[in-house]
Amino acid sequence: METATAPRRVEHQQTDKGYVPVYTTAVVEQPWESYSADDHATWSTLYQRQRELLEGRASREFLQAQDEMGMNAHMIPRFDQLNEVLGAATGWTLVGVEGLLPELDFFDHLANRRFPVTWWIRRPDQIDYIAEPDMFHDLFGHVPLLMNPVFADYMAAYGRGGVKAHAIGPEALQHLTRLYWYTVEFGLINTPEGLRIYGAGIVSSKGESLYSLESAAPNRIGFDLERIMRTKYRIDTFQKTYFVIDSYEQLMEATSPDFTPIYAALEAQEHLPAGDVQDGDRVFQKGTGEGWADGGDV
Ligand code: PHE
Ligand code: FE
């Protein structure tokens, strides 16, 4: 009965340009009552599995924030309930969306401390891999660190920076996007206990949680703003390089200068392959490159 009236997610469309998302910019109410038993079971399975894996692997701040927000394996959280805790902590609000947003809409949400969360969760047969962000990636992966005041400010500053880069042009935007990719999505942090994960793309993936920390294949290199902005990345496989911050404060400080002159200077510089190690890199590990596909860096 309930499923008949449940909102339907907008499917992506096959066109002559390939598989493209249908962008819908509207903010939607989370249809919590319409989640099926399968949906809740998918959340439970993933939540339990990742939490177990991430003890001792994810940043302490990340794990603590999940607990503080009241996320758990029982059922899919209600955005409204998370918002009470999150709003009180850092002034951020979760808003439900259909899926990926056009860049400028996304930046505008972030700049105003609204984090867009996909309202639907992957199907049971997509537990291990889904090509596009779903609720598990957005909520489990991105939302916890919004409880951290420094990281919360970083995300809002990124949104304002995105609006600015969008106005400057596509190259500026490409450079800024790489910063998001190598920090918010695939970042590692150095702690007294060793390297830990904070990137949402890693914490929401079983395979990459293990690979990013424990495999000998990828490079692990100290955070360097311009180095990151020059570095291509992978969207179809695990990353060839992970960048390591020393603290969330370092991330905030390093990104606070006006990027306008940096974008201008970078136009004269070559883009670096995803797997390169450069003179001057602070190398935590030089990867063996085992299993890397040729080509495909974007
Ligand atoms: N300082 C950046 C700029 O001038 C804005 C920014 C802050 C971008 C933090 C990313 C992260 O564009
Ligand atoms: Fe993401």
Side-chain angles (χ1 to χ4, degrees), residues 18-93:
Y19 194 56
V20 297
V22 178
Y23 288 125
T24 52
T25 58
V27 163
V28 296
E29 190 78 25
Q30 181 190 28
W32 195 87
E33 303 295 338
S34 78
Y35 293 132
S36 66
D38 267 359
D39 290 336
H40 287 291
T42 298
W43 170 270
S44 286
T45 303
L46 284 167
Y47 190 94
Q48 231 157 5
R49 186 175 84 178
Q50 287 309 103
R51 276 297 296 226
E52 217 164 285
L53 195 65
L54 292 172
E55 289 300 333
R57 291 196 175 92
S59 166
R60 187 170 32 83
E61 286 84 350
F62 173 88
L63 295 171
Q64 275 175 4
Q66 284 189 332
D67 295 338
E68 272 173 56
M69 296 188 88
M71 286 191 196
N72 59 59
H74 294 325
M75 57 184 140
I76 294 172
R78 292 179 188 263
F79 296 175
D80 285 353
Q81 283 178 3
L82 298 177
N83 275 338
E84 284 177 25
V85 187
L86 184 58
T90 58
W92 276 76
T93 309

Side-chain angles (χ1 to χ4, degrees), residues 210-221 238-242 274-277 285-293:
L210 294 167
Y211 178 90
S212 64
L213 285 183
E214 280 144 55
S215 170
N219 303 314
R220 299 187 188 88
I221 294 173
F238 295 157
Q239 300 308 308
K240 292 180 173 179
T241 300
Y242 298 93
D276 246 31
V277 175
Q285 172 178 277
K286 179 165 168 27
T288 61
E290 195 195 331
W292 283 359

Side-chain angles (χ1 to χ4, degrees), residues 58-167:
S59 166
R60 187 170 32 83
E61 286 84 350
F62 173 88
L63 295 171
Q64 275 175 4
Q66 284 189 332
D67 295 338
E68 272 173 56
M69 296 188 88
M71 286 191 196
N72 59 59
H74 294 325
M75 57 184 140
I76 294 172
R78 292 179 188 263
F79 296 175
D80 285 353
Q81 283 178 3
L82 298 177
N83 275 338
E84 284 177 25
V85 187
L86 184 58
T90 58
W92 276 76
T93 309
L94 310 180
V95 293
V97 291
E98 192 60 50
L100 290 173
L101 297 173
E103 267 157 342
L104 204 49
D105 293 71
F106 181 64
F107 294 144
D108 182 64
H109 278 303
L110 296 186
N112 290 288
R113 294 188 171 247
R114 293 186 303 263
F115 194 80
V117 176
T118 306
W119 68 263
W120 52 268
I121 194 160
R122 67 191 72 186
R123 296 189 311 264
D125 61 296
Q126 296 169 315
I127 289 263
D128 288 314
Y129 184 76
I130 179 166
E132 61 191 307
D134 73 332
M135 182 185 4
F136 186 74
H137 169 78
D138 289 340
L139 209 51
F140 182 97
H142 282 287
V143 169
L145 280 181
L146 296 174
M147 290 284 286
N148 177 282
V150 177
F151 197 85
D153 286 350
Y154 173 68
M155 290 292 282
Y158 180 86
R160 293 191 297 274
V163 173
K164 191 169 75 183
H166 190 271

Side-chain angles (χ1 to χ4, degrees), residues 154 157-158 161 164 176 179 255-259 263:
Y154 173 68
Y158 180 86
K164 191 169 75 183
L176 185 68
L179 174 65
T255 53
S256 63
D258 181 3
F259 286 180
Y263 295 141

